[in-house]
Amino acid sequence: MGMRFAFAGGREGWVRALLTAVGVGLGVALLLLTTAIPSALSERNERGSARDDFTYSGKVLPKADDTLIIAHTDTFFRSKDVRGRLLEPEGAQAPLPPGVEKFPAKGEMVISPALDRLLKSDSGQLLRERLPYRITGTIQQAGLIGPGELAYYAGASGLEDQLSGGTVERIDYFGPSPGNTGDELDPVLLLLILIVFTVLLLPVAVFIAAAVRFGGERRDRRLAALRLVGADGRMARRIAGGEALAGALLGLVFGTGFFLVGRQAAALLEVRDISVFPSDLNPSPALAVLVAVAVPAAAVLVTLFALRGVVIEPLGVVRTAKPPRRRLWWRLLLPLGGLALLYPMVGQGNSNGDFNQWMVIGGTVLLLVGITALLPWIVEAVVARLNAGSVSWQLAVRRLQLSSGSAARMVNGIAVAVAGAIALQMLFSGVEGDYTKATANDLSRAQMEVSVRGDASLDEVNRQLQQTKGVRRASAVSLGSAADQAQDPENSVEVAVGSCAQLREVARLTSCRDGDVFQILGGEYDSDTTKVTKPGGTLYFDPAYTGSTSHTVAWKVPSGIKTAARRADPTGYERGGLLFTSAALPEAARAGMSQQVFLQLDLSEPDASEYARNTAARLAPLANVYTMASSTRSLQFQSIRTGLFVGATCVLLLIGASLLVSQLEQLRERKKLLSSLVAFGTRRRTLSLSVLWQTAIPIALGLVLASVVGLTLGAVLLKMVDTAVSVDWASVLTMTGIGAAVVLAVTVLSLPPLLRLMRPDGLRTE
């Protein structure tokens, strides 16, 4: 009978069922999306592993009919990663990369759809100059980790000469290396993941619980009418449960529809360079069934719980009388229980063992759910003491005094989300230093480093990079090695070649002229210099090692080699070994050297780094270009933070949509009241301000409570990982400001329907 009332009870019934279904559906869609995330990540990882092309074995395979030489040519374009590979098949059975139908010929490339769109756009012109290949095909989904990935495979020749270069390897299959097992997460990172999932999912559950109580007052009046025709109290509650069940089941249908629409739109969205194919977002069947069972069951239980203190009599509902004051003691038990569960794990972490996952989840949930229990009591206690003020203020306060529970329910979700965000921000800030390491880079001397191997001479490399748009200064040196034996030497030293000015970037020279040779003693990895630089001895440039090819050149060590003092280069490295001015190096020894260039950029040119990368690619397709940074961050830590950002974005959208639906439902219930006030001459401006106050007062109280709980949870989490408690007040204010901005936006969006409701003809009835 309750389910029939939901759909056949006239306009009131189906409008309430529709609002409930939309609210529940938004939550269900986000739950389904969350249950699909493990599947999406697994699919991405599998495709990424299937195209792995480095064996990490340190061995060079012999050339065969089933081998392929592959070179890494990854690059960046305006902060986006571009995955690039050069391919040179050595036989008819050479392995094809996943997602590629045939090998591109030299001068051709196959590219991802996203890269194709970028290269054809005006913004991709600079990148097009860097990839001078003819497009002949598209990489299919099997070869990409996401629809937004920028990737290409280009044909090449002559890569065999570069096999000892570090970024070139001969392979006979694509797939994970047996020795590359990946990194395991440490206890602190596991704790971060647990807290992220708990904090992101709990507001969803709170919103679903609030959605099933839409239209509660009108429903209770209908139940009173049922009592008048003979239903007893238990029957009335079962009918209310059936009505809530109908809305929840319709919400499951809506949620499935929202999820399917969102899944198709996933290919068009990219957040922090993360994108997924729609086919990857497949919820686990077990988790999907759990959502399908838990949501309707929770709807019925929440409804019955809400009716526990309501006396439904044939002539009305006793709720219209002054409700009894809410009790505080049992509401404090929830956060105190959460703290009790978290306290035993204080001091654990990377050095003291893993955290108990169930205690972490349980303690966090109890603390955050404590907000939903405490907020109604706080709102009731505060608004009971608010009286004098403008007409709009008095209208808002009186409404809150009559129905503080409804106002608190609307704010509960955002308060939980803000509290969780504050705690997470404190935890991330506290442990960030453990996963962020300062580099030795001197950014005042250089902002980029370019390494070029090949036939380009030192002077040519330096000249072209110096003349590149956006480059203020280029300083190049040639790098190589020399040893006391031509084959498998025991002692070897570093060799650097350049002009006197260029050598002064990597060493301290008292006097220098072209033709001089210097030795540096005591470098970071230098213990052999004095052994191989004895006058009259023979040094061999570019010595050969087993399994590698080299162009060894002999050189007789002269007497009178000068000594230079160590100096850190712009990367912070203090080299040792030998320094040669350009005239002192044997001409034949230049072939085995690479050119290292430090670039000072004109920071007023936004694309300076792109111009530098284009020049490096023209000089040598296998050139390595590095952007120097003051610090590096753990990839695992960065991935978790990116996941938090993506999840928080989805939850924020849900918060806004759910609050808007809740606000519209409350306005609908007050339609006749608003019409009555307008009919008596109340100004619309006054009513609009009263609606704003009705939203602002509970949200202000909710944000204050959220800040207190969030700071408490954050402090406990920091103690758990044995980190000093510190508060980033700017982040706390940012989190609360975002919460307030969402509510303000929802209030503004609800003004048009409010103005439509404020008409005297709203008093008409049938």
Side-chain angles (χ1 to χ4, degrees), residues 3-35:
M3 295 181 73
R4 284 188 60 192
F5 283 148
F7 299 113
R11 182 180 177 184
E12 290 294 335
W14 64 257
V15 168
R16 176 179 178 272
L18 185 63
L19 286 172
T20 300
V22 171
V24 172
L26 290 169
V28 167
L30 193 56
L31 287 177
L32 289 175
L33 177 64
T34 304
T35 60

Short mmCIF file of all heavy atoms in Angstrom, two decimals, residues 3-35:
data_model
loop_
_atom_site.label_atom_id
_atom_site.label_comp_id
_atom_site.label_asym_id
_atom_site.label_seq_id
_atom_site.Cartn_x
_atom_site.Cartn_y
_atom_site.Cartn_z
N MET A 3 3.89 1.55 -1.25
CA MET A 3 4.48 1.70 -2.58
C MET A 3 3.45 2.25 -3.56
O MET A 3 3.78 3.04 -4.45
CB MET A 3 5.02 0.36 -3.05
CG MET A 3 6.19 -0.16 -2.21
SD MET A 3 6.87 -1.72 -2.78
CE MET A 3 7.73 -1.18 -4.26
N ARG A 4 2.16 1.86 -3.40
CA ARG A 4 1.12 2.41 -4.26
C ARG A 4 0.93 3.90 -4.00
O ARG A 4 0.74 4.69 -4.94
CB ARG A 4 -0.21 1.68 -4.03
CG ARG A 4 -0.27 0.29 -4.67
CD ARG A 4 -1.67 -0.27 -4.56
NE ARG A 4 -2.63 0.60 -5.24
CZ ARG A 4 -3.95 0.47 -5.12
NH1 ARG A 4 -4.44 -0.46 -4.31
NH2 ARG A 4 -4.76 1.27 -5.78
N PHE A 5 0.98 4.31 -2.72
CA PHE A 5 0.83 5.72 -2.41
C PHE A 5 1.93 6.56 -3.08
O PHE A 5 1.70 7.69 -3.49
CB PHE A 5 0.88 5.95 -0.90
CG PHE A 5 -0.39 5.59 -0.18
CD1 PHE A 5 -0.35 5.09 1.11
CD2 PHE A 5 -1.61 5.74 -0.81
CE1 PHE A 5 -1.53 4.76 1.76
CE2 PHE A 5 -2.79 5.41 -0.16
CZ PHE A 5 -2.75 4.92 1.13
N ALA A 6 3.14 5.97 -3.19
CA ALA A 6 4.26 6.72 -3.77
C ALA A 6 4.01 7.08 -5.23
O ALA A 6 4.42 8.14 -5.69
CB ALA A 6 5.55 5.91 -3.63
N PHE A 7 3.34 6.18 -5.95
CA PHE A 7 3.18 6.40 -7.40
C PHE A 7 1.75 6.73 -7.80
O PHE A 7 1.52 7.32 -8.85
CB PHE A 7 3.63 5.15 -8.16
CG PHE A 7 5.08 4.81 -7.93
CD1 PHE A 7 5.43 3.66 -7.27
CD2 PHE A 7 6.08 5.66 -8.36
CE1 PHE A 7 6.77 3.34 -7.05
CE2 PHE A 7 7.41 5.36 -8.16
CZ PHE A 7 7.76 4.20 -7.49
N ALA A 8 0.77 6.34 -6.97
CA ALA A 8 -0.63 6.56 -7.35
C ALA A 8 -1.33 7.49 -6.38
O ALA A 8 -2.56 7.54 -6.37
CB ALA A 8 -1.37 5.22 -7.41
N GLY A 9 -0.58 8.22 -5.59
CA GLY A 9 -1.19 9.10 -4.60
C GLY A 9 -1.36 10.51 -5.09
O GLY A 9 -1.34 11.45 -4.29
N GLY A 10 -1.50 10.69 -6.39
CA GLY A 10 -1.68 12.03 -6.93
C GLY A 10 -0.36 12.75 -7.12
O GLY A 10 0.73 12.18 -6.98
N ARG A 11 -0.48 14.03 -7.45
CA ARG A 11 0.72 14.81 -7.76
C ARG A 11 1.69 14.87 -6.60
O ARG A 11 2.90 14.75 -6.77
CB ARG A 11 0.28 16.22 -8.16
CG ARG A 11 1.45 17.11 -8.54
CD ARG A 11 0.98 18.50 -8.92
NE ARG A 11 2.11 19.36 -9.22
CZ ARG A 11 1.99 20.65 -9.51
NH1 ARG A 11 0.78 21.20 -9.54
NH2 ARG A 11 3.05 21.37 -9.76
N GLU A 12 1.16 15.04 -5.38
CA GLU A 12 2.03 15.12 -4.21
C GLU A 12 2.88 13.86 -4.07
O GLU A 12 4.07 13.91 -3.76
CB GLU A 12 1.19 15.34 -2.95
CG GLU A 12 0.54 16.70 -2.85
CD GLU A 12 1.56 17.81 -2.70
OE1 GLU A 12 2.68 17.52 -2.21
OE2 GLU A 12 1.27 18.95 -3.08
N GLY A 13 2.23 12.71 -4.30
CA GLY A 13 2.94 11.45 -4.12
C GLY A 13 4.08 11.26 -5.10
O GLY A 13 5.21 10.97 -4.72
N TRP A 14 3.77 11.47 -6.39
CA TRP A 14 4.84 11.19 -7.35
C TRP A 14 5.91 12.27 -7.39
O TRP A 14 7.07 12.00 -7.72
CB TRP A 14 4.28 10.88 -8.72
CG TRP A 14 3.53 11.96 -9.45
CD1 TRP A 14 2.19 12.06 -9.59
CD2 TRP A 14 4.10 13.06 -10.18
NE1 TRP A 14 1.86 13.18 -10.34
CE2 TRP A 14 3.02 13.80 -10.72
CE3 TRP A 14 5.39 13.50 -10.41
CZ2 TRP A 14 3.21 14.96 -11.48
CZ3 TRP A 14 5.59 14.65 -11.17
CH2 TRP A 14 4.51 15.37 -11.69
N VAL A 15 5.55 13.52 -7.04
CA VAL A 15 6.60 14.56 -6.97
C VAL A 15 7.57 14.24 -5.84
O VAL A 15 8.80 14.34 -6.00
CB VAL A 15 5.96 15.95 -6.76
CG1 VAL A 15 7.03 16.98 -6.38
CG2 VAL A 15 5.25 16.40 -8.03
N ARG A 16 7.01 13.80 -4.68
CA ARG A 16 7.90 13.42 -3.58
C ARG A 16 8.75 12.22 -3.96
O ARG A 16 9.95 12.16 -3.68
CB ARG A 16 7.07 13.10 -2.33
CG ARG A 16 7.93 12.61 -1.18
CD ARG A 16 7.10 12.32 0.06
NE ARG A 16 7.97 11.80 1.12
CZ ARG A 16 8.25 10.52 1.26
NH1 ARG A 16 7.75 9.63 0.44
NH2 ARG A 16 9.05 10.12 2.24
N ALA A 17 8.12 11.22 -4.63
CA ALA A 17 8.87 10.04 -5.04
C ALA A 17 9.97 10.42 -6.04
O ALA A 17 11.08 9.90 -6.00
CB ALA A 17 7.94 9.00 -5.65
N LEU A 18 9.66 11.38 -6.92
CA LEU A 18 10.63 11.80 -7.92
C LEU A 18 11.81 12.51 -7.26
O LEU A 18 12.98 12.24 -7.59
CB LEU A 18 9.96 12.72 -8.93
CG LEU A 18 10.81 13.16 -10.12
CD1 LEU A 18 11.21 11.95 -10.96
CD2 LEU A 18 10.07 14.17 -10.98
N LEU A 19 11.53 13.42 -6.32
CA LEU A 19 12.61 14.11 -5.62
C LEU A 19 13.48 13.12 -4.83
O LEU A 19 14.71 13.21 -4.84
CB LEU A 19 12.04 15.17 -4.68
CG LEU A 19 11.48 16.43 -5.34
CD1 LEU A 19 10.76 17.29 -4.32
CD2 LEU A 19 12.59 17.22 -6.02
N THR A 20 12.82 12.19 -4.16
CA THR A 20 13.57 11.17 -3.42
C THR A 20 14.43 10.35 -4.37
O THR A 20 15.60 10.07 -4.09
CB THR A 20 12.60 10.24 -2.66
OG1 THR A 20 11.83 11.02 -1.75
CG2 THR A 20 13.37 9.17 -1.89
N ALA A 21 13.86 9.98 -5.51
CA ALA A 21 14.60 9.16 -6.47
C ALA A 21 15.81 9.90 -7.03
O ALA A 21 16.88 9.32 -7.22
CB ALA A 21 13.67 8.73 -7.61
N VAL A 22 15.64 11.21 -7.29
CA VAL A 22 16.78 11.98 -7.81
C VAL A 22 17.89 12.06 -6.76
O VAL A 22 19.07 11.86 -7.06
CB VAL A 22 16.32 13.38 -8.24
CG1 VAL A 22 17.52 14.26 -8.58
CG2 VAL A 22 15.40 13.29 -9.45
N GLY A 23 17.50 12.37 -5.51
CA GLY A 23 18.51 12.44 -4.44
C GLY A 23 19.21 11.12 -4.23
O GLY A 23 20.45 11.06 -4.16
N VAL A 24 18.42 10.04 -4.12
CA VAL A 24 19.02 8.71 -3.94
C VAL A 24 19.82 8.32 -5.18
O VAL A 24 20.90 7.74 -5.08
CB VAL A 24 17.92 7.67 -3.65
CG1 VAL A 24 18.50 6.26 -3.65
CG2 VAL A 24 17.26 7.95 -2.30
N GLY A 25 19.29 8.66 -6.36
CA GLY A 25 19.97 8.27 -7.60
C GLY A 25 21.34 8.90 -7.73
O GLY A 25 22.29 8.25 -8.20
N LEU A 26 21.48 10.17 -7.32
CA LEU A 26 22.80 10.81 -7.38
C LEU A 26 23.79 10.07 -6.48
O LEU A 26 24.95 9.84 -6.86
CB LEU A 26 22.68 12.27 -6.96
CG LEU A 26 21.95 13.19 -7.94
CD1 LEU A 26 21.67 14.54 -7.30
CD2 LEU A 26 22.76 13.37 -9.22
N GLY A 27 23.33 9.71 -5.28
CA GLY A 27 24.21 8.96 -4.38
C GLY A 27 24.54 7.59 -4.92
O GLY A 27 25.69 7.15 -4.86
N VAL A 28 23.54 6.89 -5.48
CA VAL A 28 23.78 5.55 -6.03
C VAL A 28 24.76 5.62 -7.20
O VAL A 28 25.65 4.77 -7.35
CB VAL A 28 22.44 4.92 -6.48
CG1 VAL A 28 22.68 3.68 -7.33
CG2 VAL A 28 21.60 4.57 -5.26
N ALA A 29 24.61 6.66 -8.04
CA ALA A 29 25.53 6.79 -9.17
C ALA A 29 26.97 6.94 -8.70
O ALA A 29 27.89 6.33 -9.26
CB ALA A 29 25.13 8.00 -10.02
N LEU A 30 27.17 7.74 -7.65
CA LEU A 30 28.53 7.91 -7.13
C LEU A 30 29.03 6.63 -6.47
O LEU A 30 30.21 6.28 -6.58
CB LEU A 30 28.59 9.08 -6.16
CG LEU A 30 29.99 9.56 -5.78
CD1 LEU A 30 30.78 9.93 -7.03
CD2 LEU A 30 29.93 10.76 -4.85
N LEU A 31 28.15 5.90 -5.79
CA LEU A 31 28.55 4.62 -5.20
C LEU A 31 28.94 3.63 -6.29
O LEU A 31 29.94 2.91 -6.17
CB LEU A 31 27.42 4.05 -4.35
CG LEU A 31 27.15 4.74 -3.00
CD1 LEU A 31 25.95 4.10 -2.31
CD2 LEU A 31 28.37 4.66 -2.09
N LEU A 32 28.15 3.57 -7.37
CA LEU A 32 28.48 2.66 -8.47
C LEU A 32 29.81 3.07 -9.12
O LEU A 32 30.62 2.22 -9.49
CB LEU A 32 27.37 2.66 -9.51
CG LEU A 32 26.05 1.98 -9.09
CD1 LEU A 32 25.00 2.16 -10.18
CD2 LEU A 32 26.29 0.50 -8.81
N LEU A 33 30.01 4.39 -9.24
CA LEU A 33 31.28 4.86 -9.79
C LEU A 33 32.44 4.44 -8.91
O LEU A 33 33.49 3.99 -9.39
CB LEU A 33 31.24 6.38 -9.93
CG LEU A 33 32.54 7.04 -10.42
CD1 LEU A 33 32.86 6.60 -11.83
CD2 LEU A 33 32.41 8.57 -10.37
N THR A 34 32.25 4.54 -7.58
CA THR A 34 33.31 4.15 -6.66
C THR A 34 33.60 2.66 -6.74
O THR A 34 34.76 2.23 -6.74
CB THR A 34 32.90 4.52 -5.22
OG1 THR A 34 32.60 5.91 -5.17
CG2 THR A 34 34.03 4.22 -4.25
N THR A 35 32.53 1.84 -6.84
CA THR A 35 32.75 0.39 -6.95
C THR A 35 33.39 0.03 -8.28
O THR A 35 33.97 -1.05 -8.41
CB THR A 35 31.42 -0.37 -6.80
OG1 THR A 35 30.52 0.03 -7.84
CG2 THR A 35 30.79 -0.11 -5.44
#
